[in-house]
Short mmCIF file of all heavy atoms in Angstrom, two decimals:
data_model
loop_
_atom_site.label_atom_id
_atom_site.label_comp_id
_atom_site.label_asym_id
_atom_site.label_seq_id
_atom_site.Cartn_x
_atom_site.Cartn_y
_atom_site.Cartn_z
N THR A 119 -7.78 3.40 -21.13
CA THR A 119 -7.61 2.82 -22.42
C THR A 119 -8.51 1.58 -22.65
O THR A 119 -8.77 0.86 -21.70
CB THR A 119 -6.09 2.40 -22.61
OG1 THR A 119 -5.94 1.97 -24.00
CG2 THR A 119 -5.76 1.26 -21.69
N MET A 128 2.75 -2.24 -23.02
CA MET A 128 3.25 -1.56 -21.73
C MET A 128 3.71 -2.67 -20.79
O MET A 128 4.62 -2.45 -20.00
CB MET A 128 2.16 -0.76 -21.10
CG MET A 128 1.80 0.49 -21.98
SD MET A 128 3.20 1.56 -22.44
CE MET A 128 3.63 0.88 -24.03
N LYS A 131 7.18 -3.68 -21.90
CA LYS A 131 8.21 -2.68 -21.83
C LYS A 131 8.45 -2.21 -20.41
O LYS A 131 9.58 -1.84 -20.00
CB LYS A 131 7.83 -1.48 -22.68
CG LYS A 131 7.85 -1.75 -24.18
CD LYS A 131 7.47 -0.44 -24.95
CE LYS A 131 7.52 -0.74 -26.44
NZ LYS A 131 7.15 0.56 -27.20
N ALA A 154 -16.93 -5.01 -16.12
CA ALA A 154 -16.66 -6.43 -16.25
C ALA A 154 -15.71 -7.00 -15.25
O ALA A 154 -15.98 -8.04 -14.60
CB ALA A 154 -16.08 -6.66 -17.66
N GLY A 166 -17.96 -17.87 -3.97
CA GLY A 166 -16.92 -18.39 -3.04
C GLY A 166 -15.77 -18.98 -3.82
O GLY A 166 -15.89 -19.24 -5.00
N ALA A 201 -0.24 -6.19 -35.78
CA ALA A 201 0.59 -5.78 -34.66
C ALA A 201 -0.01 -6.18 -33.32
O ALA A 201 0.65 -6.59 -32.35
CB ALA A 201 0.80 -4.26 -34.76
N LYS A 294 -6.55 4.41 -44.99
CA LYS A 294 -6.26 5.66 -44.41
C LYS A 294 -7.24 6.77 -44.75
O LYS A 294 -7.66 7.52 -43.88
CB LYS A 294 -4.81 6.10 -44.77
CG LYS A 294 -4.34 7.36 -44.04
CD LYS A 294 -2.89 7.62 -44.29
CE LYS A 294 -2.41 8.80 -43.57
NZ LYS A 294 -1.04 9.20 -43.75
N LYS A 305 -14.61 14.69 -33.66
CA LYS A 305 -13.16 15.01 -33.44
C LYS A 305 -12.82 14.76 -32.00
O LYS A 305 -13.61 14.93 -31.13
CB LYS A 305 -12.90 16.47 -33.82
CG LYS A 305 -13.18 16.79 -35.25
CD LYS A 305 -12.93 18.27 -35.55
CE LYS A 305 -13.24 18.63 -37.03
NZ LYS A 305 -13.06 20.08 -37.25
#
Side-chain angles (χ1 to χ4, degrees):
T119 187
M128 294 307 94
K131 293 181 179 180
K294 187 174 182 179
K305 298 177 182 178

